[in-house]
Amino acid sequence: MAERAMTLAEQILSHAAGHPVQAGDLVIVEIDRCMSHDSLTPEVIDALQGTLNTERVYDPSRVAVMIDHVAPAASVATADAQVRVRRWVREQGIPHFYDVGAGVCHQVMIEERLVAPGQIAFGTDSHATAYGAVGAFGTGVGSRDMALTLASGRNWLRVPETVRVQVNGRFRPGVSPKDLSLYLCGLLGLDGADYQAVEFHGLDWLDLDGRETICSMTTELGAKAGMVPPTGPAVADLDVPEWLGVQPGATYAREIVVDLDSLEPQVSVPYSVDNVVPVTDVGEVPVDLVFVGTCTNGRLGDLRAAAEILRGKHIAPHVRLLVIPASHRILTAATADGTLSTLLDAGATVGTPGCGPCIGRHMGVIGAGEVCLSTANRNFRGRMGSPDGRVYLASPETAAASALAGRIVPATTR
Amino acid sequence: MATVWVFGDDVDTDQIVPGRYAPYMKSESELGKFPFIEARPEFAREVQPGDVIVAGRNFGCGSSREYAPRALFIAGVGAIVAPSFARIFFRNALNLGLPLVQADLRGRVVDRQPVDLDLARPGLRVNGEWLALPAQPEWLRLAWAEGGIIQYYARHGRLPVEATS
């Protein structure tokens, strides 16, 4: 049977729909995995119990709940909300619950193998696109969408067109997956892939950490899903369904080629993620806070890359270096292999695994006039605290080099 | 009378409701006071039920936070008209019953101009001029008519898409 070649997104949604679908179709499909975090779960519970009048979630075994957005609680209001979430999780018999300190939801989902190749996963968080690192169709939804999915086990989706990114070459020293993501943001803009999926080709060699970074960052292009085909050593131990894989001749909305051999360190300048320049063009920007962490760049490879640059040195006077490992497992591994002590010796301080100050709620928010160089994913005005603070986004390598220099510099010229 | 509020491209959810103003951080009852509280405080103070937002491309980009469209919904915003919307914001608004209409009215309306919104025809009357909006798919009109997809589902036990397919 001569079947039309499909993109990864079309394959996964066709499999779920039970018939071949193509970009533009509306489908109603079972949602294999649901992740909900502390920030939106109270509203999910409200919608389930109030509007939908649903006593029990459809299938607790598909559900994971995480406390990461304000972890540990920073106020009585957030503590009370977390009490309610924990009680609800117990009442519903939800087996996958990760409390304060376990880590950022997306990291935990992938680390704990709660999401698998070929699955459709919804998360109450826009960076759920990260699940594409293991070849899943991960996408962010709001609290009512999550409530509807928890009540019925399914939801509707428009099958997205796909942007194909062909990546050639290898990162040079001091350049890493975040630079690829920021470069794409600058090239395509905040809506460069709105309603679309992004598929990365030529990255068979890339480790899981890097795949998570680039898949999570596709949401900054407006993407519905970001995926690296699940092939290569990084995913060798995962169970990839036989029907899932790159099909030559699939129809793509757009094709982009990036040559890593000539990619320079990139930085996103406030107040927009797509306001990207090579670090060497950013000018003289002194920094107050350097933040290494989040679902974008708080993984072991990120911490090690920063530690390599900081080893035996000390951060500049008047600079604060905040490191927040993306998970408990990462914190444990970074402790065991000496990464953490290298960072501490260089003058870093370490926070509880979780989202940290990324959303401007606690654990290192910035004040008026302060400049933060962050390895996170957004620098909109007010994102990390004061609307008069400024957030620059870059890789862990650039962050470490900048903490040493006291101003934004690439790691390549140290 | 309702008025038009004009915004540019890429209005992000951190502008609409900063994470620090989420119901999780403050109280649910205050949410209606928070839309654009820092980015455009006069909006938060003066927005009236039935007001219309006319914006540029990619309205609502960024976070999945449903409290961003919900703050606009609670404040009584009658519709948001923009050439494109960020996808999570679009779904959230549809679930809430906040009408989003894909059209480019930039240059056709002036900020703070009086407006009459008629979603049934659909269109806007501004300064005596009728600005037609594109007709919406049946399933989307069903969702709006019943106060959003969630309300629709609660009543009918199926999605609006299933009613029309």
Side-chain angles (χ1 to χ4, degrees), chain B residues 101-158:
Chain B
V101 183
Q102 210 171 327
D104 193 351
L105 293 188
R106 289 171 300 175
R108 315 272 317 261
V109 298
V110 176
D111 192 43
R112 309 302 296 271
Q113 210 171 16
V115 63
D116 264 331
L117 170 69
D118 183 351
L119 281 175
R121 286 182 66 177
L124 297 172
R125 187 168 298 283
V126 182
N127 210 12
E129 187 189 0
W130 177 255
L131 302 176
L133 293 171
Q136 301 299 315
E138 173 71 11
W139 67 273
L140 218 150
R141 285 192 286 122
L142 283 175
W144 286 355
E146 302 223 15
I149 287 183
I150 302 298
Q151 296 281 2
Y152 184 96
Y153 185 87
R155 263 179 228 129
H156 303 281
R158 62 180 181 184

Side-chain angles (χ1 to χ4, degrees), chain A residues 154-177:
Chain A
R154 57 201 198 114
N155 210 324
W156 68 279
L157 283 168
R158 181 182 163 281
V159 181
E161 288 86 25
T162 295
V163 176
R164 184 181 189 280
V165 180
Q166 174 66 45
V167 185
N168 297 327
R170 297 293 175 100
F171 294 111
R172 294 183 297 167
V175 187
S176 67

Side-chain angles (χ1 to χ4, degrees), chain A residues 38 43 144-145 194 360, chain B residues 20 24 57 66 70 85 91:
Chain A
D38 54 321
E43 296 174 53
R144 276 168 179 71
D145 243 349
D194 196 14
Chain B
R20 291 166 282 122
Y24 185 32
R57 282 169 29 203
E66 190 175 284
R70 197 147 58 86
F85 295 92
R91 288 182 74 103

Side-chain angles (χ1 to χ4, degrees), chain A residues 123-278:
Chain A
T124 59
D125 190 284
S126 61
H127 295 102
T129 52
Y131 312 148
V134 294
F137 184 96
T139 199
V141 297
S143 30
R144 276 168 179 71
D145 243 349
M146 180 54 72
L148 184 60
T149 313
L150 292 181
S152 66
R154 57 201 198 114
N155 210 324
W156 68 279
L157 283 168
R158 181 182 163 281
V159 181
E161 288 86 25
T162 295
V163 176
R164 184 181 189 280
V165 180
Q166 174 66 45
V167 185
N168 297 327
R170 297 293 175 100
F171 294 111
R172 294 183 297 167
V175 187
S176 67
K178 180 63 157 294
D179 296 300
L180 169 60
S181 292
L182 291 176
Y183 173 78
L184 288 173
C185 289
L187 185 70
L188 299 176
L190 291 181
D191 62 350
D194 196 14
Y195 296 104
Q196 297 178 319
V198 182
E199 247 179 54
F200 293 90
H201 293 245
L203 291 177
D204 264 19
W205 51 272
L206 186 62
D207 62 17
L208 198 56
D209 288 10
R211 294 179 190 217
E212 290 178 55
T213 300
I214 61 172
C215 290
S216 74
M217 283 295 290
T218 60
T219 199
E220 306 312 326
L221 302 166
K224 179 179 286 187
M227 276 180 278
V228 177
T231 51
V235 292
D237 57 343
L238 297 181
D239 193 13
V240 180
E242 43 77 28
W243 50 264
L244 181 64
V246 173
Q247 295 181 358
T251 303
Y252 294 96
R254 188 172 178 184
E255 299 209 31
I256 289 154
V257 180
V258 183
D259 182 12
L260 297 185
D261 292 323
S262 61
L263 183 69
E264 294 178 57
Q266 307 284 310
V267 61
S268 168
V269 176
Y271 293 106
S272 188
V273 184
D274 61 355
N275 192 15
V276 175
V277 296

Side-chain angles (χ1 to χ4, degrees), chain B residues 79-101:
Chain B
I80 306 174
V81 183
S84 65
F85 295 92
R87 59 162 292 275
I88 305 178
F89 188 90
F90 182 84
R91 288 182 74 103
N92 284 341
L94 200 47
N95 284 326
L96 286 160
L98 168 63
L100 305 187
V101 183

